[in-house]
């Protein structure tokens, strides 16, 4: 799915030619690697470089929104061995932007990582790529070969005294490896079980060495930020929410896909860019930041702008920028059941509240959906989430709890109806028609 | 313990060497994920002996490699059909027909998730988000080939193509 529409394209400038524009020569033709060259030839100081990134107020695009420049400044200066790691594990349901970034413009991520290496004094980097996207992993390997052959990677890059090499590590199907310390364990050749923090990766990261880890979109933004200046980038968005952001819009819209818009763009505008509601049906709810973010009812989300602060104020999270759009054909109990199954299935199992709690959540939502709910189940669900949130090694337990709490909070009557009437408020035939699967192809056999 | 890895082809071992070279010299274990994928590609699935062979080649304890093989979803610890189809049914895909696509495949092949057709041709798996929800319904063929927009017609075509 190539980019369909954009306001102020930066990250997506290279996507215009689809699969024909990813190569090194295309990237160079659009000004690629110019920032790396400038930094190296002017011998820019690490502090100046980090200061420029701080000015942009670029906030991490992986989910937590932590300021990138600040993160880079945490790296100890003196350590002899450091790493830069890119998180392309992209397993948060609803998110599909990093895949397209590497598919259509892998070199912007590579350049961003090399520049990050320079800024924090690392000589080696890894890009951890989601298991399910093998073709993208292959393309990234090819792009690395191109960069190496052109002297952008390796020893004494472009004749400077800076050396940096970069490799791709391919995942193999574990959502938890998106969590940064689970990811580091995975690169080390172990089960991807998150580590207790602190120490944070900046002090104890890959192989126990100081490590900076950022999301793909974060790294990809770096060359553009340096090209236009931190302040100009910040001003594209709104205060405290710098720049543009990719939003992966999925679900019941006419044109699902990635859209790059300035931070602060109204949700209504994004929905319009995505072609509006499928079949002209009515918007019911939106999960604005990946499946781990609390769901928002239609009237609330229609008042939001797409930036960290506005979405947080509405009671959810911008997260990874995955906008999951649901219309009136959706049964909220069934939707939650699927999400709860996901967290139960993907819990790494090392914390009791998460391992047991995620199982409880799934089983109770499952029984409500299947007409076996009990009147006390909604209280039970909330109690289980109380025992999970903030009580575990990583945030997966919270991610499992947020959907449950927010679905019940905003759509309580649907849950109560299920429990009382042992069936769904939304007619099964209406639900079935919602996906468009059966109407899509009249020529195919019937099921 | 000598040469337990004889059972892997020299081509596979060469491919594993290329992966090992990505990591610091004292961190060979980092290549275990890739090495297990390569072994799975060669053998079709990962038997205990295959995992042990990989471990021996990388100088790690067999149990450490087994832990990795059992932790990540895309390793097959049991034999699978010639074509393993993994359909994403997570919510974003389900909104655009992910579950219905899986139902359609089940009906066509007469099998449920985690089953293999009697002729050993197809195994069906339920997948989690593949990071491609904008292309829903999506499915993976043998872990490495992603198929997008899998509506009934496209599914028919794919199944016919799998010889
Ligand atoms: C369960 C879980 C899954 C995560 N998955 C991802 C992911 O797929 N991609 C990602 O970039 N960050 C993910 N994160 C966030 C990372 O831990 C980390 O904060 C991020 O990679 C930092 O990069 P950033 O500062 O550029 O956002 C996840 C976190 C948790 C708790
Ligand atoms: S919270 Fe869950 S996923 Fe995270 S470390 Fe604990 S058990 Fe594992
Ligand atoms: S939910 Fe199916 S690919 Fe994301």
């Amino acid at each position: 799915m190539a980019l369909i529409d954009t306001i102020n394209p930066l990250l997506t400038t290279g996507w215009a030619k689809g699969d024909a524009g990813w190569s090194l020569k295309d990237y160079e033709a659009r000004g690629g690697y110019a920032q790396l060259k400038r930094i190296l030839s002017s011998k820019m100081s690490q502090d100046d470089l980090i200061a420029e990134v701080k000015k942009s107020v670029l906030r991490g695009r992986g989910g937590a929104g932590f300021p990138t420049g600040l993160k880079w400044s945490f790296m100890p200066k003196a350590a002899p061995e450091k790493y830069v790691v890119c998180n392309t594990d992209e397993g948060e349901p609803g998110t599909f932007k990093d895949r397209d970034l590497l598919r259509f413009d892998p070199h912007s991520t590579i350049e961003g990582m090399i520049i990050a290496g320079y800024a924090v004094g690392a000589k080696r980097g890894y890009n951890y790529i989601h298991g399910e996207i093998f073709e993208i992993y292959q393309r990234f390997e090819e792009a690395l070969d191109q960069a190496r052959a052109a002297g952008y990677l390796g020893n004494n890059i472009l004749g400077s005294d800076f050396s940096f090499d970069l490799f791709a590590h391919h995942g193999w199907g574990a959502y938890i490896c998106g969590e940064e310390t689970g990811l580091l364990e995975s690169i080390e050749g172990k089960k991807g079980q998150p580590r207790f923090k602190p120490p944070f990766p900046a002090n104890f990261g890959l192989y126990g060495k100081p490590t900076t880890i950022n999301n793909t979109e974060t790294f990809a933004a770096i060359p553009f930020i340096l090209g236009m200046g931190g302040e100009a980038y910040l001003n594209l968005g709104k205060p405290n929410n710098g720049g543009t952001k990719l939003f992966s819009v999925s679900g019941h819209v006419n044109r699902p896909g990635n859209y790059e818009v300035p931070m602060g763009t109204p949700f209504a505008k994004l929905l319009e860019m995505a072609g509006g509601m499928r079949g002209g049906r009515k918007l019911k709810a939106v999960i604005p930041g990946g499946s781990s973010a609390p769901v928002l009812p239609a009237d609330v989300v229609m008042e939001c702008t797409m930036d960290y602060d506005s979405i947080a104020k509405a009671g959810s999270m911008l997260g990874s920028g995955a906008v999951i759009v649901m219309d009136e054909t959706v049964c909220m109990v069934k939707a939650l059941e699927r999400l709860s199954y996901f967290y139960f299935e993907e819990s790494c199992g090392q914390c009791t509240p998460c391992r047991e709690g995620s199982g409880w959540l799934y089983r109770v939502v499952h029984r409500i959906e299947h007409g076996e709910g009990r009147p006390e189940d909604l209280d039970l669900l909330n109690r289980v989430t109380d025992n999970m949130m903030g009580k575990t090694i990583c945030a997966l337990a919270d991610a499992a709890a947020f959907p449950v709490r927010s679905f019940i909070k905003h759509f309580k009557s649907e849950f109560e109806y299920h429990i009382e009437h042992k069936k769904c408020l939304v007619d099964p035939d209406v639900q079935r028609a919602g996906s468009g699967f059966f109407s899509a192809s009249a020529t195919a056999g019937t099921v | 313990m000598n040469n337990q890895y004889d059972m892997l082809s020299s081509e596979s071992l060469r491919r594993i060497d290329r992966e090992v070279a990505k990591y610091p010299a004292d961190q060979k274990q980092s290549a275990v994920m890739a090495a297990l994928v390569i072994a799975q590609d060669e053998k079709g699935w990962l038997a205990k002996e295959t995992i042990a062979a990989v471990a021996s080649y990388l100088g790690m304890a067999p149990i450490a490699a087994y832990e990795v093989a059992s932790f990540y979803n895309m390793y097959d610890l049991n034999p699978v059909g010639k074509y393993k189809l993994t359909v994403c049914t997570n919510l974003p895909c389900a909104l655009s027909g992910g579950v219905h696509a899986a139902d359609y495949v089940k009906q066509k092949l007469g099998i449920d998730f985690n089953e293999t057709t009697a002729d050993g041709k197809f195994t069906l798996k339920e997948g989690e988000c593949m990071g491609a929800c904008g292309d829903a319904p999506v499915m993976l063929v043998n872990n490495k080939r992603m198929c997008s927009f899998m509506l009934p017609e496209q599914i028919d075509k794919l199944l016919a193509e799998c010889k």
Side-chain angles (χ1 to χ4, degrees):
Chain A
M1 168 72 51
L3 179 89
I4 295 168
D5 201 355
T6 168
I7 309 173
N8 276 30
L10 280 183
L11 296 167
T12 53
T13 34
W15 297 17
K17 288 201 273 172
D19 278 314
W22 68 271
S23 211
L24 177 64
K25 58 181 188 335
D26 301 294
Y27 184 62
E28 287 175 326
R30 3 179 230 273
Y33 289 109
Q35 296 312 314
L36 178 64
K37 285 180 189 154
R38 180 171 70 90
I39 290 165
L40 293 178
S41 63
S42 69
K43 296 191 162 48
M44 190 188 273
S45 82
Q46 294 174 324
D47 288 344
D48 286 351
L49 180 48
I50 292 178
E52 199 60 38
V53 175
K54 279 187 179 165
K55 244 191 249 167
S56 74
V57 197
L58 171 66
R59 294 172 60 172
R61 304 303 196 217
F66 192 83
T68 304
L70 189 61
K71 185 184 270 188
W72 291 9
S73 71
F74 292 155
M75 288 285 275
K77 282 238 152 83
E81 196 184 334
K82 302 179 228 182
Y83 292 94
V84 168
V85 172
C86 177
N87 188 342
T88 312
D89 197 39
E90 196 166 54
E92 173 80 4
T95 322
F96 49 92
K97 64 192 176 62
D98 299 337
R99 165 181 180 243
D100 277 2
L101 274 169
L102 294 190
R103 175 173 174 189
F104 300 123
D105 198 26
H107 285 285
S108 58
T109 298
I110 295 173
E111 186 179 4
M113 288 189 73
I114 302 170
I115 293 172
Y118 182 93
V120 304
K123 293 195 183 64
R124 218 177 232 270
Y126 291 95
N127 185 6
Y128 191 102
I129 299 178
H130 196 210
E132 284 82 348
I133 52 173
F134 176 73
E135 287 121 328
I136 308 293
Y137 165 76
Q138 265 185 322
R139 172 164 299 177
F140 192 76
E141 291 261 69
E142 237 181 287
L144 286 178
D145 288 342
Q146 293 176 341
R148 217 168 273 130
Y152 295 123
L153 285 173
N155 287 328
N156 301 98
I157 294 175
L158 304 172
S160 71
D161 55 10
F162 174 58
S163 301
F164 184 82
D165 213 341
L166 178 55
F167 305 91
H169 184 102
H170 192 203
W172 206 241
Y175 168 64
I176 194 57
C177 291
E179 197 281 339
E180 55 190 16
T181 57
L183 184 151
L184 296 175
E185 290 285 303
S186 184
I187 298 183
E188 292 181 5
K190 304 172 191 156
K191 293 188 284 185
Q193 290 189 315
R195 300 172 183 168
F196 191 83
K197 292 186 274 188
F200 290 94
N203 287 306
F204 188 91
L206 184 59
Y207 309 126
K209 309 293 185 223
T211 300
T212 291
I213 172 161
N214 281 116
N215 173 253
T216 319
E217 188 184 352
T218 312
F219 283 120
I222 295 296
F224 298 101
I225 290 172
L226 296 173
M228 69 194 307
E231 195 165 327
Y233 180 83
L234 168 63
N235 291 337
L236 279 178
K238 59 185 242 191
N240 197 33
N241 296 268
T244 63
K245 167 98 189 77
L246 282 169
F247 290 100
S248 303
V249 184
S250 65
H252 291 148
V253 294
N254 279 315
R255 292 184 302 180
N258 283 313
Y259 296 87
E260 182 180 15
V261 297
M263 286 284 191
T265 299
F267 169 77
K269 174 73 192 169
L270 184 63
L271 182 60
E272 180 196 317
M273 288 168 78
M277 297 303 295
R278 193 187 296 158
R281 291 193 301 256
K282 205 169 139 230
L283 179 67
K284 179 170 188 176
V286 172
I287 303 178
S291 65
S292 309
V295 66
L296 296 174
D299 55 329
V300 175
V301 74
M302 285 304 278
E303 297 301 313
C304 288
T305 57
M306 299 307 290
D307 56 82
Y308 297 99
D309 295 343
S310 170
I311 298 290
K313 215 172 127 209
S316 186
M317 307 183 302
L318 194 69
S320 59
V323 180
I324 306 167
V325 179
M326 292 174 271
D327 69 23
E328 57 201 346
T329 65
V330 174
C331 163
M332 297 312 271
V333 183
K334 192 181 231 164
L336 178 63
E337 182 199 15
R338 186 58 183 86
L339 293 182
S340 295
Y341 175 75
F342 170 69
Y343 293 104
F344 162 60
E345 169 70 25
E346 298 294 330
S347 166
C348 84
Q350 62 177 333
C351 319
T352 310
C354 174
R355 184 186 61 240
E356 302 302 324
S358 61
W360 269 101
L361 295 180
Y362 169 60
R363 285 189 301 273
V364 175
V365 179
H366 178 83
R367 79 178 176 219
I368 298 175
E369 166 63 17
H370 289 83
E372 288 154 21
R374 307 165 194 171
E376 64 276 15
D377 276 353
L378 299 184
D379 287 338
L380 173 62
L381 285 171
N382 278 322
R383 255 199 335 276
V384 174
T385 61
D386 285 337
N387 290 327
M388 296 170 75
M389 293 191 305
K391 295 192 167 65
T392 54
I393 291 176
C394 91
L396 186 138
D398 302 82
F402 288 149
V404 172
R405 291 172 81 95
S406 61
F407 272 68
I408 294 177
K409 178 174 164 201
H410 293 299
F411 299 94
K412 194 164 189 180
S413 59
E414 254 181 75
F415 285 81
E416 288 168 343
Y417 187 93
H418 261 270
I419 292 170
E420 196 179 329
H421 299 276
K422 319 268 176 230
K423 62 174 189 179
C424 189
L425 199 56
V426 184
D427 184 272
D429 287 337
V430 171
Q431 287 186 47
R432 192 175 139 93
S435 80
F437 181 82
F438 298 101
S439 55
S441 173
T443 55
T446 46
V447 170
Chain B
M1 291 271 293
N2 251 349
N3 284 345
Q4 267 198 17
Y5 46 83
D6 270 358
M7 63 179 296
L8 294 169
S9 71
S10 54
E11 165 62 15
S12 287
L13 295 179
R14 242 193 337 271
R15 287 176 62 200
I16 295 175
D17 290 343
R18 274 208 297 274
E19 295 295 328
V20 169
K22 292 178 178 177
Y23 306 96
D26 57 346
Q27 300 292 349
K28 259 179 140 174
Q29 178 170 343
S30 282
V32 68
M33 288 183 67
L36 288 169
V37 173
I38 291 164
Q40 179 167 301
D41 281 351
E42 182 190 327
K43 304 286 182 195
W45 65 288
L46 292 174
K48 274 225 165 78
E49 308 79 67
T50 311
I51 298 170
V54 166
S56 138
Y57 192 65
L58 295 175
M60 45 192 293
I63 181 68
Y66 188 80
E67 275 192 351
V68 169
S70 55
F71 186 81
Y72 298 90
N73 294 331
M74 289 159 68
Y75 294 116
D76 294 312
L77 303 186
N78 292 297
V80 290
K82 187 170 173 201
Y83 299 98
K84 181 172 94 167
L85 307 180
T86 312
V87 185
C88 176
T89 60
N90 206 313
L91 178 62
C93 271
L95 296 173
S96 294
V99 175
H100 295 149
D103 289 346
Y104 188 82
V105 176
K106 285 180 192 170
Q107 182 96 4
K108 282 241 142 182
L109 299 179
I111 52 173
D112 208 335
F113 286 134
N114 300 317
E115 290 180 357
T116 300
T117 51
D119 60 0
K121 204 153 116 183
F122 292 102
T123 298
L124 185 61
K125 295 268 176 186
E126 181 167 36
E128 292 301 343
C129 180
M130 299 169 180
C133 343
D135 300 353
V138 293
M139 53 184 80
L140 280 183
V141 182
N142 290 339
N143 304 315
K144 292 190 171 173
R145 175 175 161 215
M146 188 178 286
C147 301
S148 302
F149 305 109
M150 297 307 281
L151 295 168
E153 232 173 300
Q154 284 72 27
I155 294 175
D156 291 346
K157 223 163 92 194
L158 174 69
L159 295 182
E161 217 175 81
C162 292
K163 291 271 156 33

